[in-house]
Amino acid sequence: SFCTLLEVWHAWSARPSISCASLHSRSSAMSELRHKSILDGTPASKLFADAGLTYNDVIILPGYIDFPASDVDVSGQVTKRLRLHAPLLSSPMDTVTEEDMAKAMALLGGLGVLHNNCTVERQAAMVKSVKTFRHGFIFNPKSVGPDTPIAEVEAAASRLGISGILVTHDGTHHGRLLGIVCSKDIDYVADKSRPVSTAMVKRENMVVAQHPITLADAKAKLNASRKGYLPVVDNLGNVVSLCSRRDAVRARTFPNSSLDDKGSLLCGAAVGTRPEDKKRVDALARAGLDVLVLDSSQGNSVYQIDFLRWVKAAHPELQVIAGNVVTADQAKNLIDAGADALRIGMGSGSICITQEVLACGRPQATAVYHVARYAHSRGVPTIADGGLRSVGDVCKALALGASCAMLGSMLSGTTETPGEFYYKDGVRLKAYRGMGSLEAMSQGKESGKRYLSENESVQVAQGVSGSVVDKGSVYRLIPYVLKGLQQSAQDIGEKSFANVRAQMWAGQVLFEKRSATAQGEGGVHSMHSYSKTLFASKL
């Protein structure tokens, strides 16, 4: 009734008002709570002033929480031009990253870096496999002419791993569209010598889109049509591009995928820094590579600096990650030569023995802090590479200045790594080896180039070979890591790791050095037996 409405209006009018001043006051109060006025801890600048420390030697002190963990932005800059939703890269090791791992990392928002302990042709083929795994628009779709025998169409579909091929009047990518042939159209054709035009779905029975059209509109039309493919044609009926349901499903399933400006997955690959490696770079660039990683255990060399300058001149479209480095002086030389990002780490990996054998390197937490501090002043992102055993170590690396972390041992033994599982004493295992191991260096010269020793008569091992326990799939592991990062930033009291680093540089994120006893206290102890399950999904 009118009277009831009037009473409601009077009640609403009489409510306590929230003024801009009160909102500002609340914001100021929260800011004061967040600010550490009692510096009960050690700033990073003091902590790393002298002694060399590893991740396990330090712990981050908590801050003030006024937000849920789900609000935390964990994204990170991987190069000057590229940013990842998940600040994680897979290491370019031949027991960690080939095309399956690279696809998974990119789909999950990170970046896979393909190893180079193989032929140029093999590595370029892996890059193509990653770049064609998910598309926005396919601008050069596989096409055949109407007289092509069905047998040739089947062979092409099998070779390319696709189920649909366009039929154009002249068999070219952008010819006039006549139809499409899918595996279901020709599976039961007995005479494979018949021309494909006798089995294809004709143009008049197809759903097509008119160019120009946005990717979002194309996907919407594809979903509405319930077809597997949506050709996009111009006013003359010529093919402009193709949209695939498979790619649309992947886009929906993995909304934070790492993509280039054409909607394809981002891909990285490692190369050596010898003159003959220029041909490898050319081949990788032709295959569509996005990020080139100059792979050397000690990156501050004339070989890498000269090679870096050549790459930036010959392939300016490539983002180049240089390294590895552990000092600001090393970093300076590579940044001056044009590096778009730096890898930090020398001898800290679980399978690396460089520090033990060559007495050269640096404890990883100290290396990350000092290199990242200098690179930050130059506007260059850094990647912590090595010494990461758990989510906590990744959190520390990102809090100490690295914008991303490269994972090797944490990903080893997952389903997507190269190699086969095997059983030993009832345990399911997979091989894992350092690129400085004699086994890796004897497989090809590329691994030896990383240690500048490919032509030496005596090979000095800087890594070991071994096995690791089955860890399951990275499609479960990476979401666990990302959720751990969110909860870590929440405990620190910042909504992003960019904020964590900013506050660390300002002396507001504090640390403490841990004794060996304290490190033991921070893990599981005083238990007769226990089961350590790291994550579970709520149904």
Side-chain angles (χ1 to χ4, degrees), residues 101-362:
M101 178 63 75
K103 292 171 186 175
M105 291 298 293
L107 286 171
L108 292 165
L111 179 69
V113 183
L114 299 165
H115 75 83
N116 64 326
N117 204 24
C118 58
T119 64
V120 174
E121 293 74 20
R122 168 65 179 141
Q123 194 179 22
M126 289 193 287
V127 172
K128 288 181 180 178
S129 178
V130 176
K131 297 302 293 182
T132 58
F133 187 70
R134 177 191 152 170
H135 296 278
F137 286 116
I138 305 171
F139 289 102
N140 292 300
K142 176 62 180 175
S143 304
V144 297
D147 298 326
T148 305
I150 291 175
E152 288 186 21
V153 174
E154 285 187 327
S158 176
R159 184 178 69 256
L160 299 172
I162 57 178
S163 60
I165 293 179
L166 296 182
V167 182
T168 59
H169 79 288
D170 58 359
T172 63
H173 301 307
H174 303 297
R176 189 175 71 257
L177 181 64
L178 300 181
I180 187 171
V181 59
C182 299
S183 56
K184 62 182 177 60
D185 301 317
I186 55 179
D187 278 346
Y188 301 105
V189 175
D191 183 6
K192 302 295 184 181
S193 64
R194 286 170 48 190
V196 70
S197 59
T198 63
M200 69 181 184
V201 176
K202 296 183 178 180
R203 165 68 178 82
E204 53 267 27
N205 297 322
M206 295 172 60
V207 176
V208 300
Q210 196 70 30
H211 178 76
I213 187 172
T214 66
L215 183 59
D217 289 342
K219 287 179 179 177
K221 187 164 187 173
L222 181 64
N223 289 334
S225 71
R226 299 186 179 183
K227 302 293 184 181
Y229 296 93
L230 179 72
V232 179
V233 299
D234 61 19
N235 292 331
L236 300 177
N238 297 317
V239 175
V240 175
S241 60
L242 182 68
C243 193
S244 164
R245 173 173 294 279
R246 178 187 65 180
D247 297 322
V249 170
R250 285 175 180 153
R252 187 168 62 247
T253 307
F254 302 101
N256 293 325
S257 297
S258 302
L259 306 175
D260 62 19
D261 54 6
K262 296 179 181 178
S264 296
L265 296 178
L266 289 179
C267 183
V271 296
T273 55
R274 298 302 199 191
E276 61 268 23
D277 291 313
K278 293 178 180 180
K279 292 182 179 179
R280 183 180 290 264
V281 174
D282 292 338
L284 297 177
R286 287 194 299 270
L289 186 71
D290 302 289
V291 179
L292 187 71
V293 176
L294 303 186
D295 198 27
S296 175
S297 65
Q298 212 284 50
N300 187 27
S301 69
V302 65
Y303 313 109
Q304 182 158 152
I305 291 171
D306 288 347
F307 198 87
L308 174 56
R309 288 171 176 157
W310 172 82
V311 173
K312 298 304 293 183
H315 297 282
E317 76 282 2
L318 291 178
Q319 290 287 279
V320 183
I321 300 174
N324 282 30
V325 298
V326 291
T327 70
D329 192 61
Q330 288 178 299
K332 177 184 182 303
N333 292 340
L334 294 179
I335 292 174
D336 289 346
D340 297 302
L342 295 175
R343 282 168 77 188
I344 305 172
M346 186 176 181
S348 56
S350 65
I351 39 65
C352 188
I353 57 174
T354 298
Q355 293 184 19
E356 174 188 339
V357 174
L358 303 185
C360 200
R362 198 174 199 178

Side-chain angles (χ1 to χ4, degrees), residues 457-470:
S457 58
V458 176
Q459 294 282 322
V460 177
Q462 296 187 45
V464 299
S465 297
S467 59
V468 289
V469 176
D470 176 12

